[in-house]
Amino acid sequence: MPKDDEVTVYGCCVVALCRPVLFFLKENKINYKYVEINILKNEHLTPEFLKKNPKHTLPLLEDKGVFVSELGAIMSHLQTKFNIEPLDAPVQSRVDELVSWSSGSLHWDIGFSYVYPQIHPGLALDKDADNNIFIENGIKKVCEDLDTLEHAYLDNEKLWLLGPRTVADVTVACVVVVLQLVRFDFKMWPKVIEWLARVRELPNWAEVHQFHDEVVQQIRDSGE
């Protein structure tokens, strides 16, 4: 692919929704430059970055002066620009549905309602008692989401959402593995366990999740 077709991705190694974009780029052999934006140092709130994305969200795609935010819009832009083989309309609609779910309510339930308040003081409620109640409500949402995966989306012999030909499985899995940061036990959802194992075997998954896996291993080694 010509170098002048290179795009720039602004992301952060701790942001789960950046990983599906990197996976998609690698999977389709698209030239890209990666710029790390450290949200823990508020680099996404600098005047320079806010000019690019007033919503200060990640990931962010830059393509010849055009800035695209939101995961679904980024995927659509890349698919159109690089003429990625289109899927049948029903399949593409399901891909769009799963990408929207994972970047929307699924990420909110798993991340902001359950995991992040436990590991990031800036995303926790001020009072411990209030934060504990918030997390307890969050785990209920997480269980509902995993039940949906287990009994609806994975209720098939292939044990794929849509299969390795699309980015749907990877996108949802990128969000689900955030639960590993709090040593979540998936034993009540055996299909989810097997599905995650399959997704993790896909080419490029390990490279994209290197930092995440290192953090998870550190948590396991610490015994906390």
Side-chain angles (χ1 to χ4, degrees), residues 111-124:
F112 292 96
S113 296
Y114 181 63
V115 175
Y116 303 153
Q118 298 185 60
I119 64 176
H120 194 309
L123 296 174

Side-chain angles (χ1 to χ4, degrees), residues 181-224:
L181 298 175
V182 291
R183 303 172 66 90
F184 187 86
D185 191 344
F186 291 92
K187 65 182 179 182
M188 292 176 58
W189 300 275
K191 290 181 180 179
V192 172
I193 292 174
E194 184 174 346
W195 165 73
L196 282 175
R198 291 186 177 198
V199 176
R200 289 175 62 88
E201 292 176 356
L202 293 174
N204 301 309
W205 173 277
E207 183 179 356
V208 168
H209 283 78
Q210 180 178 351
F211 180 82
H212 170 86
D213 290 341
E214 289 174 355
V215 172
V216 170
Q217 189 60 51
Q218 290 172 8
I219 292 172
R220 290 172 177 166
D221 293 343
S222 70
E224 295 178 359

Side-chain angles (χ1 to χ4, degrees), residues 131-150:
N131 199 52
N132 290 337
I133 293 173
F134 185 75
I135 292 170
E136 288 176 7
N137 289 330
I139 187 60
K140 295 176 183 177
K141 297 177 183 178
V142 170
C143 290
E144 290 174 0
D145 290 329
L146 292 177
D147 283 343
T148 298
L149 269 177
E150 180 83 6

